[in-house]
Amino acid sequence: MRKVLVVGGAGYIGSHTIKSLSKRSYDILVYDNLSTGHREAILYGRLVEGDLSERDKLKSVIEEFRPDAIIHFAGFIEVEESIKKPLLYYSNNTVNTINLIEVMLECGINKLIFSSTAAVYGNPEKTPVDENYPLNPINPYGQSKAFVEKMLQDISRSYDFNYVSLRYFNVAGADPDGEIGQKYRKATHLITRALKAAKGEIENLEIFGTDYNTPDGTCIRDYIHVSDLAEAHIDALEYLLEGNDSDVFNCGYGHGYSVKEVIETVKKVTGKDFKVVETARRAGDAPELVANNRHLLDTLKWKPCYDDLEFIIKTSWNWELNPKF
Ligand code: UDP
């Protein structure tokens, strides 16, 4: 049985990926400090509580488990917070990843799947954007991930070490079986905030900027269902386990929706009306981020199942109404 260490596996994307891993019979060990993750989100495998800054602990866990590969989800993800607290992002997302890679090299573990982000592209002049587009992040969150991508490239040239970076576009939705979903410290993302508004927990849903150069003036994003994204991790893992070289893949469906379109879809799916207020732009937002996903489809043979905004929102709404933790 193949063994996979899932760092940050108690979080939103990690826990969905664990569910996909279990369906393909992997032996799973989770390493997570539970700062934003939840013990209850781990449906399969064992958990070791630990932080990536605890090098000795991390090393003994890796030495004992000896995984065939590591999937690394642990990181902070909020653009606005990263602007307020850049060092938090550079230390947790960048420096802690250096710790992980150093320990991997010391232990002779040489396959890594890394959670990257479309935020590494910054503000691309034209979308859909492909993987060869220059990285030009416009906020510390994107920069913290771009640093890691650059390091991984250098490391894979100097050592026997292979990685896949998956550049996530806007991840949304919840497990279609309703077993797991996103539980967050504070709701900042558009779909989760709109659902809170539908539930009456937020009085006014704000639209951050209506003067962008897009058809309706609001930002456009490529929303990908978390279970499809989870499958992309397994595809990437198997690609590395088959002995293929390091590579980078965009993870999105290849088409986008504006903020206004998302809000209308949330109203339609939930059957709830709520007040929407147009406000100023939010710092660090790119007008349009849509993936060119040809590489993922062609090379990893990724087969998305849930490319449907209504379905994505339905699964999130179901989770909001029936959270299991
Ligand atoms: N957004 C918004 N109102 C909100 C939350 C987000 O208008 O309450 C906008 C945000 O400015 C961006 C888009 O929705 O243009 C997607 O933002 P989100 O935070 O969901 O994801 P990001 O693209 O920043 O990763």
Side-chain angles (χ1 to χ4, degrees), residues 295-307:
H295 192 37
L296 184 66
L297 293 167
D298 293 347
T299 307
L300 293 191
K301 314 281 182 242
W302 179 60
K303 294 197 172 46
C305 301
Y306 307 118
D307 178 4

Side-chain angles (χ1 to χ4, degrees), residues 118 121-122 124 126-131 133 167-170 214 219-223 250-258 286-293:
Y121 294 118
K126 61 176 179 22
T127 62
V129 59
D130 70 37
E131 291 84 355
Y133 195 86
R167 294 182 182 153
Y168 307 161
F169 282 65
N170 286 60
T214 58
C219 292
I220 294 173
R221 294 289 183 272
D222 185 339
Y223 295 89
N250 282 340
C251 296
Y253 291 133
H255 53 87
Y257 296 92
S258 73
E288 181 166 350
L289 277 172
V290 173
N292 175 330
N293 62 4

Side-chain angles (χ1 to χ4, degrees), residues 33-46:
N33 65 8
L34 299 182
S35 64
T36 56
H38 304 274
R39 194 182 295 277
E40 306 90 314
I42 305 167
L43 299 181
Y44 307 91
R46 285 184 300 122

Side-chain angles (χ1 to χ4, degrees), residues 8-17 36-37 171-174 180-183 224-226 316:
Y12 171 49
I13 305 169
S15 60
H16 286 80
T17 302
T36 56
V171 191
I180 41 179
Q182 187 171 24
K183 187 175 172 188
I224 174 174
H225 191 281
V226 62
S316 287

Side-chain angles (χ1 to χ4, degrees), residues 170 188-190 193 206-208 219 221 259 282 285:
N170 286 60
T188 62
H189 289 110
L190 177 62
R193 285 191 69 78
E206 291 174 304
I207 298 182
F208 300 135
C219 292
R221 294 289 183 272
V259 173
R282 188 176 70 172
D285 277 339

Side-chain angles (χ1 to χ4, degrees), residues 4-42:
V4 182
L5 180 72
V6 186
V7 178
Y12 171 49
I13 305 169
S15 60
H16 286 80
T17 302
I18 286 172
K19 184 164 177 177
S20 296
L21 282 167
S22 82
K23 283 188 191 154
R24 298 206 221 173
S25 303
Y26 283 90
D27 185 5
I28 301 159
L29 180 66
V30 178
Y31 187 84
D32 196 301
N33 65 8
L34 299 182
S35 64
T36 56
H38 304 274
R39 194 182 295 277
E40 306 90 314
I42 305 167

